[in-house]
Amino acid sequence: MKRKPFASAVALMAFSAFFFAHGPAGAQRDEQPPSADERQEAAPPAAEAERPSRPAPEFGPETARDAAEAARRYANIAANGGWPRLAKGKPLPALRRRLAIEGYLSREESEGDKWDDTLSDAVRRFQAHVGLDQTGEVSRETLRALNVPAATRARALAATAARLARIHFRFGDRYVAVNIPAASVEAVENDEAVKRFTAVVGGHRHHSPQVVTKIVSIDINPTWTVPASIIKKELAPKLRRNPHYFERENIRILDSRGREVDPRKLRGVSSRRAAHFTFRQEPGPKNALGSLRISMPNSHDVFMHDTPHKDLFERDFRFLSHGCVRVEGVYDLADWLLQDTGDWDASRLRDEEEQGRTEKIKLSGPVPVAWVYMTGWSTGDGPAFFRHDIYNLDKGTKLPAHSGGAVARR
């Protein structure tokens, strides 16, 4: 059933609170309680009953539509004056009104001038939706996010909806999605996000592309053939300054016949000519791909992989790669991808890696993967999720037409 956009996020959240507290209309019936046999027949299997619920995927078949509907809701908020701009130390009623307008507090909870657990929880939920540490306190970063105008939020949602509408991706029972602005990866199975991973993605000058393809293999202890663009911009200057760098980094230089060339003999070559040689980094602790690569054929020559620099996953700003996606917990992702491929699992992968073996493991069947650019998205009718427009792709997006309904002002 198609959902109708709500004119007010506040009314929406109040309705949701009532729904979950009391159940759907008509839930209280005058029927007799079921018999023991009926209860036994209706009871789910023990394994199913005990299975913990998993979150809905951020990127799924309905994400484009949900983002478009959320864009209209936020455009409606903007058309009715948006939300109050907050300043450090500003009275708490303004913070409560701000959170209520977006739907993090109910109408009743929007009143008051004292800090309580309800307000802390609302701030934590807001922080989770914008990718900040969930401290429950209004830090400088949280204040900055609270003050992003409703129109900007609506534009992010509309831009995401438009981008996703252009993607032709066949959602299967199992797939992998990378959200570039969120620098995150999720593994989806049967419409549930069964695994989520922190990632490092392309930076300002080296964007990670929006790509749709299939994962076909896992490579243990891979070599890395350096792209020509990196040779020209980064390695050719090193040839001139310090040819010993290549021995230290375990990078071999090969000519067109596959013969190894001494880096010292190339000190005088231009960047353009240097790119005619093959620069190949051998497996090892310094390999830029780490010990595992997830191969996914595509015209951009990008893929997902491990990294020797695990500390990068601890950073808030993780737009640091040349376009490929580095995955924290890549062995767990590989384990999930290989679950139907013989007896491969994370433990065996690590054993092979520790033995120094280089091996390509083909999946039993290709797994669809999409790298998407979602600066705003929604998984339902509540507050939407947002990330920074790191590549400035939302610029020029028009606001969707609002419904004209009034948003309750505080």
Side-chain angles (χ1 to χ4, degrees):
M1 181 176 68
K2 185 176 180 181
R3 292 190 297 272
K4 296 181 180 180
F6 284 82
S8 168
V10 177
L12 168 66
M13 294 302 290
F15 170 81
S16 298
F18 178 86
F19 182 91
F20 287 111
H22 302 286
Q28 297 181 358
R29 296 175 301 214
D30 295 326
E31 298 174 0
Q32 295 296 320
S35 66
D37 290 340
E38 290 173 333
R39 288 196 300 270
Q40 177 68 27
E41 183 178 352
E48 180 179 343
E50 295 173 0
R51 186 183 68 178
S53 60
R54 294 191 174 106
E58 294 177 354
F59 176 60
E62 305 300 323
T63 305
R65 188 189 70 178
D66 287 345
E69 291 183 357
R72 288 189 286 270
R73 295 200 306 271
Y74 278 76
N76 199 40
I77 293 173
N80 283 275
W83 41 63
R85 183 171 181 81
L86 306 177
K88 196 69 176 177
K90 196 168 183 178
L92 289 182
L95 174 61
R96 287 183 177 274
R97 288 196 300 273
R98 160 66 183 89
L99 291 168
I101 290 172
E102 196 170 0
Y104 291 99
L105 290 174
S106 67
R107 179 185 297 273
E108 293 75 18
E109 293 165 342
S110 69
E111 305 296 337
D113 58 0
K114 293 182 179 180
W115 193 283
D116 56 21
D117 291 342
T118 299
L119 184 55
S120 293
D121 289 343
V123 172
R124 288 191 188 93
R125 291 196 301 273
F126 173 83
Q127 290 168 328
H129 277 230
V130 297
L132 297 175
D133 289 339
Q134 298 170 47
T135 63
E137 300 175 356
V138 181
S139 63
R140 180 181 301 176
E141 293 78 11
T142 302
L143 185 64
R144 186 181 299 118
L146 285 164
N147 284 329
V148 173
T152 301
R153 295 309 198 192
R155 188 172 290 108
L157 289 160
T160 293
R163 282 188 291 265
L164 296 184
R166 295 192 293 268
I167 291 177
H168 301 288
F169 183 68
R170 298 184 66 179
F171 292 93
D173 293 335
R174 302 174 76 239
Y175 64 92
V176 174
V178 175
N179 185 5
I180 298 167
S184 65
V185 180
E186 63 180 2
V188 181
E189 188 168 0
N190 297 324
D191 298 322
E192 294 180 336
V194 296
K195 293 180 181 292
R196 282 186 173 149
F197 305 93
T198 299
V200 172
V201 301
H204 294 288
R205 295 191 299 173
H206 305 283
H207 293 186
S208 291
Q210 299 173 70
V211 62
V212 170
T213 182
K214 294 180 179 180
I215 297 170
V216 297
S217 68
I218 307 295
D219 302 331
I220 306 173
N221 289 320
T223 60
W224 180 44
T225 300
V226 184
S229 59
I230 298 179
I231 294 173
K232 292 177 183 178
K233 295 178 181 178
E234 299 180 25
L235 297 190
K238 285 184 170 64
L239 275 174
R240 295 187 284 271
R241 293 196 306 266
N242 180 19
H244 298 291
Y245 166 87
F246 298 89
E247 181 180 358
R248 187 172 70 247
E249 297 298 320
N250 204 17
I251 297 176
R252 300 174 62 197
I253 304 176
L254 309 174
D255 64 15
S256 59
R257 296 184 180 181
R259 299 173 300 188
E260 190 165 0
V261 180
D262 188 335
R264 292 173 294 182
K265 295 182 179 180
L266 299 177
R267 296 190 72 166
V269 303
S270 66
S271 296
R272 182 176 179 181
R273 173 151 175 72
H276 291 172
F277 292 84
T278 297
F279 288 68
R280 188 175 68 201
Q281 189 174 39
E282 299 299 313
K286 293 188 176 181
N287 189 286
L289 307 187
S291 57
L292 219 60
R293 173 174 57 200
I294 297 175
S295 294
M296 36 177 279
N298 61 90
S299 60
H300 301 277
D301 291 328
V302 292
F303 42 84
M304 293 180 284
H305 62 89
D306 184 25
T307 176
H309 304 292
K310 304 293 194 296
D311 58 301
L312 298 180
F313 296 118
E314 302 300 322
R315 298 189 183 185
D316 293 330
F317 186 88
R318 299 192 305 278
F319 303 91
L320 304 164
S321 81
H322 285 83
C324 289
V325 174
R326 309 172 194 176
V327 183
E328 185 178 32
V330 67
Y331 278 86
D332 290 335
L333 177 56
D335 183 299
W336 180 79
L337 289 166
L338 292 168
Q339 65 184 26
D340 296 324
T341 305
D343 57 354
W344 285 100
D345 57 18
S347 177
R348 186 179 173 191
L349 290 172
R350 290 192 181 279
D351 288 343
E352 293 290 300
E353 180 266 322
E354 290 171 1
Q355 294 296 324
R357 299 190 182 99
T358 296
E359 188 166 356
K360 178 182 287 290
I361 308 165
K362 291 185 178 180
L363 304 190
S364 59
V367 175
V369 57
W371 293 14
V372 294
Y373 193 88
M374 301 195 305
T375 50
W377 70 95
S378 175
T379 57
D381 291 324
F385 298 79
F386 300 98
R387 293 298 185 272
H388 291 301
D389 181 16
I390 192 69
Y391 299 161
N392 199 29
L393 300 188
D394 293 350
K395 187 177 180 180
T397 302
K398 294 182 179 179
L399 286 178
H402 64 89
S403 64
V407 173
R409 311 303 303 161
R410 303 290 179 226

